[in-house]
Amino acid sequence: MAEDLVLDTAIRDWVLIPLTVVMILIGILRYFVSKLMRSQQNPDAKVVKEGQVVVRARNLRAGANFIPAKSFRARRAYFSNEENGLLHVPKGQGQNPQAQMFSDPNMAMDMMKKNLSMIIPQTLTFAWVNFFFSGFVAAKIPFPLTQRFRSMLQNGIDLSTVDVSYVSSRSWYFLNLFGLRGLFSLILGEENAMDDTQRMMQMSGFGMDPTKNLSAEKDGLDIIQHEWALPKFEQRAEAVLKKLVS
Amino acid sequence: MVTKTEETQLNRLESQVDNGGGGAWEYLCLVRKLKVRRSDKVLKHGLSILNDSKKRSSLGPEEWTLYEQVAIAAMDCHSLDVAKDCVNVLQKKFPESKRVGRLEAMLLEAKGSWGQAEKAYSSLLEDNPFDQVVHKRRVALAKAQGNLSGAIEWLNKYLETFMADHDAWRELAEIYVSLQMYKQAAFCYEELILSQPTVPLYHLSYADVLYTLGGLENLMTAKKYYSSTIELTGGKNTRALFGICLCTSAIAQLSKGRNKEDKDSPDLQSLATAALEKEYKQRASGKLSVLTSAFKSLKVSS
């Protein structure tokens, strides 16, 4: 195309600006709605206890040499015996986390709430943009771009002759959808619930198996050699005192 | 743990606030952050902010935090009326809050109505069994009533779940010592040494408990822990030095007549006495004669 397309100022006033404002408002609304719906979840008794057991067993492993051999052996037996040791995980009880997730309706409910608050407004706004503004060229960016950006900037316009620096309204919607995160963290504070990427991470983190932690700690405890460090301390104390007295 | 720099900062701020130099809110924030117990000051300066409606509203939502802080400080100072006012304000603002419920229970406890407080704590725990503060309050409640075995019971229950909480282990150890249940106390101190192997105080207390338990093996072990205390404190701990002397003489008495298979380091004891003598000469030369006579009775020579 030789000549530039001239964009009507009414497009700016009635498409570009409303779209942006609506996106921001929806983002803020979503934040408050998700804040309302977030249920305070009580930690599971077993999970809390297992975390504490792991910490204590780790302490035992790290400080083993500071307690007498008898005390160490008693503790090790307490943690890792095959009958009722704290770290011992009976076979078959290592629950499949997936199954656990579905067996706990609360967890499923929570995830559904989160997803709903994310998906519903997105579908609605997308439908709204599609219905009213499809086919608009809403803006022009002030620098030229290569053809590869066409699918990103001109979604919804199937003309190969339009210069790539023109942005279609649907693309403007997508740009807003993903680009406003920085603005939201400015408006709503750092820890706003908008961060979709973080949520994705959390979801993938569900696959972790807490019982693995326990058995790893148990193996660690089983293999350490107890070597009481205290007898050495007598000589070291002597050295210290010698220095002090002289 | 409060570090040295934090403490100097706190003290500087405190003297500044005391002399009317302003910065009361910063001081209160610091007290809250470091979790130190300066209830009288907190009460005084917190109240001066709370009574000034302009200053109070300038805090915004932090106002309620301040109310909570002042309420707890007031309970500590036994100004129950002030505490009650604060709790009432909070109660009006957050009618359903568990946190305010905790304050109310604490107020009952401060008043000395043990039964009601106990009930309040129990119902709070039913709602949220992982409220560590309430668990600890319940232990304190039992302890305040002089019901030490009850306190032990609650503490054990608490430690069953929160077994990595070393402060609780320490409390339990001290209660056991006061009840002369030394074997249990020794276990608790072992736990403490495991969680923080470089704190000399735990080594010292463990050695004390072992020495009190008696028996040749325990005495030997006690001596070792006294030496580790000396090593960790750089020989500055008088109690550990005396401990070495006592252990050596007790071991010598017990193993008299037996073959001395491991006659280990008589040096340590003579060094300890020498260090003690030097210390006494420097700090309390008047008591030196007492020290030498004590050594004589222990049949240790320097």
Side-chain angles (χ1 to χ4, degrees):
Chain A
M1 283 246 310
E3 297 124 77
D4 281 351
L5 285 173
V6 178
L7 298 182
D8 196 341
T9 49
I11 289 187
R12 182 194 62 203
D13 293 348
W14 294 101
V15 179
L16 192 70
I17 293 171
L19 202 60
T20 316
V21 169
V22 165
M23 288 303 291
I24 292 176
L25 286 182
I26 284 181
I28 294 173
L29 197 73
R30 217 169 77 187
Y31 166 71
F32 284 112
V33 167
S34 69
K35 204 174 172 187
L36 266 183
M37 291 212 294
R38 199 182 312 155
S39 57
Q40 206 201 348
Q41 51 189 164
N42 270 338
D44 187 20
K46 214 173 134 223
V47 175
V48 173
K49 192 170 173 188
E50 274 171 5
Q52 298 266 325
V53 167
V54 168
V55 171
R56 193 171 160 208
R58 206 166 284 159
N59 280 341
L60 175 59
R61 205 148 51 101
N65 295 342
F66 285 94
I67 58 171
K70 214 166 79 187
S71 315
F72 172 73
R73 277 199 298 274
R75 276 183 174 73
R76 176 151 77 181
Y78 176 61
F79 276 119
S80 66
N81 70 44
E82 296 288 328
E83 274 165 38
N84 54 356
L86 285 177
L87 289 174
H88 182 62
V89 184
K91 269 195 190 113
Q93 221 195 18
Q95 247 182 342
N96 187 0
Q98 215 81 30
Q100 194 187 356
M101 196 161 73
F102 287 114
S103 70
D104 184 358
N106 264 336
M107 207 183 271
M109 192 71 186
D110 243 38
M111 274 177 57
M112 210 163 74
K113 270 188 205 161
K114 272 185 205 157
N115 281 341
L116 278 188
S117 73
M118 195 162 71
I119 289 168
I120 287 182
Q122 265 175 30
T123 12
L124 285 183
T125 40
F126 185 71
W128 174 71
V129 169
N130 241 353
F131 187 75
F132 284 106
F133 305 125
S134 62
F136 275 100
V137 172
K140 181 180 190 295
I141 42 174
F143 44 87
L145 282 169
T146 55
Q147 289 293 326
R148 289 211 162 242
F149 285 90
R150 187 178 293 283
S151 60
M152 183 179 120
L153 291 179
Q154 292 185 355
N155 202 325
I157 304 177
D158 295 329
L159 287 175
S160 53
T161 47
V162 186
D163 193 88
V164 185
S165 55
Y166 288 99
V167 185
S168 77
S169 58
R170 203 195 290 173
S171 293
W172 181 245
Y173 160 75
F174 279 121
L175 285 181
N176 274 338
L177 183 66
F178 295 116
L180 282 178
R181 191 177 301 146
L183 191 67
F184 285 136
S185 66
L186 258 183
I187 304 174
L188 305 170
E190 281 300 325
E191 81 289 14
N192 72 62
M194 296 300 303
D195 212 330
D196 300 331
T197 44
Q198 218 169 8
R199 196 170 299 152
M200 294 290 176
M201 299 267 282
Q202 264 177 6
M203 257 181 241
S204 59
F206 261 114
M208 210 181 63
D209 189 358
T211 51
K212 255 185 206 136
N213 240 341
L214 289 186
S215 47
E217 206 53 51
K218 177 173 182 279
D219 293 344
L221 260 189
D222 280 340
I223 58 171
I224 57 168
Q225 298 276 326
H226 183 264
E227 192 183 321
W228 201 20
L230 266 293
K232 259 178 276 162
F233 271 93
E234 286 198 356
Q235 276 107 51
R236 276 156 79 177
E238 260 178 55
V240 168
L241 285 181
K242 250 180 213 152
K243 216 189 272 168
L244 196 73
V245 173
S246 63
Chain B
M1 276 294 184
V2 183
T3 61
K4 263 264 154 61
T5 47
E6 281 168 340
E7 200 183 336
T8 48
Q9 192 192 357
L10 184 73
N11 287 334
R12 215 192 52 228
L13 251 176
E14 188 176 274
S15 65
Q16 182 192 327
V17 176
D18 277 343
N19 299 324
W25 172 244
E26 287 74 24
Y27 171 68
L28 292 170
C29 283
L30 196 64
V31 167
R32 209 162 50 219
K33 193 178 127 213
L34 301 179
K35 294 189 177 128
V36 290
R37 183 176 179 176
R38 312 232 165 148
S39 299
D40 49 337
K41 306 270 184 208
V42 169
L43 183 60
K44 193 173 140 209
H45 302 308
L47 263 187
S48 72
I49 292 182
L50 284 182
N51 286 331
D52 187 339
S53 60
K54 213 169 82 196
K55 267 192 207 158
R56 193 178 66 203
S57 53
S58 72
L59 294 177
E62 295 284 340
E63 182 188 345
W64 311 112
T65 325
L66 181 60
Y67 268 116
E68 188 187 26
Q69 191 182 9
V70 171
I72 292 173
M75 285 173 211
D76 200 15
C77 299
H78 211 79
S79 327
L80 293 182
D81 296 333
V82 178
K84 202 172 172 199
D85 290 342
C86 290
V87 174
N88 281 342
V89 172
L90 285 171
Q91 167 76 22
K92 228 176 247 165
K93 172 80 184 169
F94 310 99
E96 292 286 311
S97 165
K98 294 276 173 308
R99 201 158 149 184
V100 179
R102 200 157 76 199
L103 281 180
E104 281 172 339
M106 281 166 79
L107 190 61
L108 286 174
E109 188 190 337
K111 275 182 199 153
S113 26
W114 309 120
Q116 278 172 293
E118 169 84 53
K119 239 181 247 160
Y121 284 137
S122 299
S123 75
L124 279 174
L125 276 184
E126 255 167 43
D127 288 331
N128 177 16
F130 300 105
D131 197 332
Q132 301 196 20
V133 178
V134 176
H135 274 288
K136 289 182 179 175
R137 286 307 329 156
R138 203 154 63 161
V139 176
L141 186 66
K143 214 178 158 191
Q145 285 170 278
N147 177 9
L148 282 184
S149 53
I152 287 175
E153 203 177 298
W154 291 127
L155 255 179
N156 275 322
K157 221 177 197 172
Y158 169 78
L159 280 171
E160 230 167 66
T161 319
F162 301 98
M163 49 175 72
D165 184 345
H166 54 256
D167 287 328
W169 281 110
R170 184 170 180 187
E171 182 66 37
L172 187 60
E174 277 161 16
I175 295 178
Y176 275 138
V177 167
S178 68
L179 288 178
Q180 306 183 348
M181 297 162 84
Y182 296 117
K183 272 204 180 118
Q184 287 87 338
F187 182 88
C188 296
Y189 280 120
E190 278 164 13
E191 206 58 50
L192 283 168
I193 291 173
L194 281 177
S195 64
Q196 291 168 309
T198 50
V199 177
L201 279 179
Y202 298 153
H203 288 251
L204 182 65
S205 314
Y206 184 49
D208 283 346
V209 170
L210 285 176
Y211 175 77
T212 318
L213 272 173
L216 190 55
E217 197 187 333
N218 282 334
L219 284 172
M220 305 270 238
T221 318
K223 196 173 146 203
K224 291 195 174 62
Y225 279 93
Y226 279 127
S227 10
S228 69
T229 315
I230 289 175
E231 217 263 308
L232 290 169
T233 54
K236 294 279 190 298
N237 192 313
T238 316
R239 190 178 175 91
L241 293 173
F242 272 119
I244 292 278
C245 301
L246 284 171
C247 278
T248 331
S249 88
I251 290 170
Q253 257 177 15
L254 274 179
S255 57
K256 205 182 277 171
R258 281 185 223 170
N259 55 338
K260 288 174 184 168
E261 56 220 40
D262 45 3
K263 179 114 173 65
D264 51 355
S265 61
D267 279 359
L268 187 57
Q269 177 252 317
S270 57
L271 278 171
T273 42
L276 274 173
E277 269 171 0
K278 193 179 167 197
E279 189 90 350
Y280 269 74
K281 252 178 221 158
Q282 271 176 4
R283 304 254 172 102
S285 46
K287 300 265 170 63
L288 199 57
S289 58
V290 185
L291 185 73
T292 40
S293 69
F295 282 153
K296 228 170 254 162
S297 71
L298 281 174
K299 294 201 193 99
V300 294
S301 53
S302 59

